[in-house]
Amino acid sequence: MRLVLAAVVIGGLGLGALAWRLEQEPLSMPWLARQVEQTLNRGATRLEIGDAAIAWAGWRQGHASPIEITLRQVRAVDGDGLVRAELPDAMLSLSLPWLLRGVVAPRMLELSGLSLTAVRGADGSFALDLGSLGEGQPAAPAADDGGAVLLATFAELMQPPSDDTPLAALRRVRLRETRLVVADAALGRNWTADVVSLALTRREGGGLDLAGVGAVSLAQERVPLRIDGMLDGRTRRGQVTFSLPAIRPAALARAAPPLGPLAALDAPASLALDVRLEGLRIPSMALARLRVGAGVIDLGDRGRIPLAALEADATFDEGTLRLERAVLRPAPPR
């Protein structure tokens, strides 16, 4: 009994010392980085991880704070040495109840500095360029099975977060300082999407919230973009709003020949698009609001119209585009 009691006391002191150490600063664990590499590397494209660290934030408000694992300097490198994707910093916060059961269940996931490339075909198809990172993995399930798995995952994420299952423990996924470079065959130009912050958060009462800010760059033009959305867990209904507060249509037309028709509008503009959601179905209803400031409408050989303001509201519902309201205010003659 003395030996057992001594072992318990020593074990408790050891765990306390470890908790105190993790609370002070993250503990570097290079072997963990090597284990993750060995687990994920199967094809010609390999994952390289500079370092891994583990931390614990202590006790907060009477609850056990989750354990955090940080991966630094993550790169996907193909067989020719070309870097396909870069991720300077990834933080994975773990659910403590599931960790005590021996299961790694993410509570929060935050990716910082992610850099990706993608290709958009002339037919509008879109694909990420990740090389052969998935080689050697089991074949993907059939389309029907994949759809069923996606629906089941979505249904669980729409429920209030809990520790009932590993997926139910996930609270938030966030991207910070993310860049996507797209080689666009349809536009004949490369363009870049920079995400300052994009967060997907589960609601305590069920449902999802989406919020993000960033910008899209085409040649020398940079268009700010904001995304806000929600989906109610009970009704499965919601909406996503895309806001572009500062657009120069004529400048975009000069940046890419396929956007040539926009050259007729030489004035500052803003555009907001509200998309109505019904579960995972393809959105069938949207509302667009266009606001244009002072400028010029260029009609070519038919002259130029000085413009004081232009406002237009349109809806798209079940395949029908309807102009609900349009107001054109010409500039007073000089």
Side-chain angles (χ1 to χ4, degrees):
M1 289 298 295
R2 291 177 180 175
L3 290 176
V4 172
L5 182 59
V8 171
V9 172
I10 293 174
L13 292 175
L15 289 176
L18 178 61
W20 177 85
R21 172 62 179 82
L22 294 177
E23 189 176 358
Q24 300 307 307
E25 61 178 345
L27 179 62
S28 178
M29 306 181 72
W31 65 267
L32 180 58
R34 305 290 81 80
Q35 289 294 324
V36 175
E37 289 177 346
Q38 293 178 11
T39 301
L40 298 180
N41 289 339
R42 291 293 184 270
T45 298
R46 66 187 186 279
L47 202 65
E48 297 180 352
I49 302 175
D51 189 23
I54 186 170
W56 179 52
W59 305 94
R60 295 176 181 169
Q61 298 180 357
H63 300 284
S65 296
I67 293 176
E68 298 177 352
I69 294 178
T70 300
L71 302 179
R72 299 187 178 95
Q73 300 302 321
V74 182
R75 304 194 309 167
V77 183
D78 65 14
D80 297 327
L82 179 65
V83 178
R84 298 287 187 147
E86 289 185 283
L87 179 60
D89 191 54
M91 189 276 289
L92 181 66
S93 176
L94 303 181
S95 169
L96 187 57
W98 279 102
L99 191 62
L100 294 176
R101 306 178 203 179
V103 178
V104 176
R107 182 183 178 91
M108 288 185 289
L109 178 63
E110 182 171 312
L111 307 180
S112 300
L114 179 62
S115 178
L116 295 171
T117 59
V119 177
R120 181 172 180 257
D123 58 352
S125 59
F126 190 90
L128 289 175
D129 184 12
L130 295 177
S132 56
L133 192 58
E135 288 183 3
Q137 299 294 333
D144 292 343
D145 294 341
V149 171
L150 180 61
L151 287 174
T153 302
F154 175 77
E156 187 166 357
L157 289 176
M158 291 298 293
Q159 299 299 319
S162 67
D163 289 311
D164 294 340
T165 66
L167 182 59
L170 182 63
R171 260 69 170 177
R172 185 178 67 180
V173 177
R174 185 182 182 190
L175 299 178
R176 297 178 62 252
E177 303 299 335
T178 298
R179 167 164 289 191
L180 174 65
V181 179
V182 181
D184 198 322
L187 282 180
R189 295 285 190 278
N190 289 358
W191 53 272
T192 303
D194 291 307
V195 178
V196 177
S197 176
L198 179 63
L200 181 66
T201 306
R202 296 179 64 186
R203 294 182 160 193
E204 290 299 325
L208 299 170
D209 287 323
L210 176 67
V213 292
V216 177
S217 300
L218 178 62
Q220 302 301 319
E221 294 302 310
R222 183 177 176 87
V223 179
L225 172 65
R226 183 178 183 88
I227 302 175
D228 293 285
M230 57 78 62
L231 194 58
D232 184 74
R234 183 177 59 85
T235 63
R236 299 293 196 273
R237 294 181 179 178
Q239 73 175 38
V240 177
T241 300
F242 300 88
S243 303
L244 291 82
I247 311 172
R248 297 289 305 193
L252 290 175
R254 292 190 294 269
L259 300 178
L262 296 178
L265 185 57
D266 189 2
S270 65
L271 177 66
L273 182 65
D274 293 328
V275 180
R276 304 294 171 84
L277 302 176
E278 294 283 348
L280 276 183
R281 294 189 303 174
I282 297 177
S284 60
M285 182 176 180
L287 169 65
R289 300 184 301 277
L290 176 66
R291 300 293 183 265
V292 180
V296 173
I297 298 179
D298 190 349
L299 301 179
D301 296 338
R302 288 172 288 181
R304 294 161 60 89
I305 301 177
L307 181 68
L310 171 64
E311 300 178 3
D313 297 333
T315 57
F316 180 83
D317 190 7
E318 300 295 340
T320 300
L321 180 63
R322 181 181 296 107
L323 184 63
E324 304 288 355
R325 173 178 174 270
V327 177
L328 173 63
R329 296 186 176 92
R334 296 181 179 177

